[in-house]
């Protein structure tokens, strides 16, 4: 019996489920849709330093109450391990809002700062997945903004969420990351750019 030459056998591509999509993250202009208020909200602000201190002062000036049993959490630069420990303590009484506030541009100034901000941002997104009733988002304010401007923008994002998960504020205004659905590439087509593929139901820090 003549055996087929396996090197000449054309492999049959797997059948993809109907739900399969190829998406690309894109930054779009997204002006604020409304004005909100934090008056009466119980807020925990995590972190130390000028940014966190300014957020606490601004929150109280706007009528919020600083609390260890909050209905909203703002991570303003705490260690991701400290943030995780704090979140564990809230698991039985989960907040309705979680904001990771980062005073930085979209491109990190250094590998170290990028790693720290990325870990905190990833944790916030994971919280939004694990706690379905909690609206979690990451808010970047440009480092050239003064503390007054940055803190006002962060509190505004807390007060008036619009469903965006990753928000950037700079001189041009408010921007958000959205996922653009792409057409499937042609079979056997060449890849002209580097492609990273995550398969399966990725969650957690890949959310």
């Amino acid at each position: 019996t003549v055996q087929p030459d396996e090197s000449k056998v054309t492999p049959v591509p797997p059948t993809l489920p109907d739900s399969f999509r190829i998406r690309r993250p894109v930054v779009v202009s997204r002006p604020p849709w409304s004005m909100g208020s934090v008056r009466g909200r119980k807020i925990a602000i995590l972190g130390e330093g000028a940014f966190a201190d300014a957020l606490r002062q601004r929150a109280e000036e706007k009528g919020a109450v600083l609390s260890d049993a909050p209905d909203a959490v703002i991570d303003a630069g705490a260690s991701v391990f400290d943030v995780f420990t704090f979140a564990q303590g809230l698991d039985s009484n989960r907040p309705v809002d979680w904001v990771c506030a980062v005073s930085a541009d979209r491109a990190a100034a250094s590998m170290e700062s990028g790693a720290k901000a990325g870990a905190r941002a990833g944790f916030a997104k994971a919280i939004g997945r694990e706690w379905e009733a909690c609206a979690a988002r990451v808010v970047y304010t440009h480092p050239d903004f003064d503390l007054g401007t940055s803190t006002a923008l962060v509190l505004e994002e807390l007060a008036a969420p619009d469903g965006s998960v990753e928000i950037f504020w700079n001189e041009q205004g408010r921007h958000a990351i959205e996922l653009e659905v792409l057409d499937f590439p042609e079979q056997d087509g060449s890849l002209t750019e580097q492609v990273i593929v995550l398969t399966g139901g990725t969650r957690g820090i890949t959310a």
Side-chain angles (χ1 to χ4, degrees):
T1 303
V2 178
Q3 299 295 324
D5 184 351
E6 294 185 358
S7 65
K8 296 181 180 180
V9 176
T10 302
V12 178
T15 301
L16 297 173
D18 292 339
S19 61
F20 183 86
R21 297 289 185 274
I22 299 176
R23 295 181 173 91
R24 176 179 64 183
V26 293
V27 178
V28 299
S29 177
R30 184 55 56 94
W33 69 282
S34 71
M35 302 293 287
S37 173
V38 296
R39 180 171 299 278
R41 297 291 303 270
K42 294 187 295 182
I43 304 175
I45 299 176
L46 311 181
E48 303 297 333
F51 185 44
D53 290 343
L55 268 171
R56 293 186 183 98
Q57 180 179 344
R58 185 86 176 197
E60 289 186 311
E61 290 174 352
K62 292 294 184 178
V65 177
L66 301 182
S67 173
D68 289 330
D71 58 55
V73 175
I74 300 176
D75 169 15
S79 158
V80 70
F81 299 105
D82 292 340
V83 174
F84 176 74
T85 300
F86 188 81
Q88 282 183 309
L90 299 179
D91 191 46
S92 60
N93 188 23
R94 299 172 178 177
V96 296
D97 287 292
W98 188 289
V99 174
C100 173
V102 184
S103 180
D105 201 359
R106 286 194 292 129
S110 67
M111 289 292 290
E112 181 180 3
S113 64
K116 290 180 179 179
R120 294 171 47 231
F123 183 82
K125 294 178 185 179
I127 283 287
R129 289 275 191 164
E130 297 298 326
W131 294 350
E132 293 183 2
C134 180
R137 55 263 196 211
V138 184
V139 180
Y140 294 86
T141 55
H142 197 277
D144 289 345
F145 289 169
D146 58 45
L147 286 176
T149 300
S150 291
T151 54
L153 293 174
V154 170
L155 290 176
E156 184 60 38
E157 292 294 342
L158 174 61
D162 66 350
S164 300
V165 175
E166 206 156 353
I167 302 114
F168 303 91
W169 278 95
N170 59 21
E171 308 83 41
Q172 284 75 46
R174 185 179 188 268
H175 308 270
I177 286 186
E178 292 187 354
L179 295 178
E180 176 185 27
V181 178
L182 303 179
D183 295 332
F184 288 175
E186 295 183 7
Q187 187 174 342
D188 300 326
S190 62
L191 298 176
T192 57
E193 299 179 0
Q194 182 180 8
V195 176
I196 300 175
V197 178
L198 300 176
T199 62
T202 53
R203 295 177 71 89
I205 204 165
T206 60

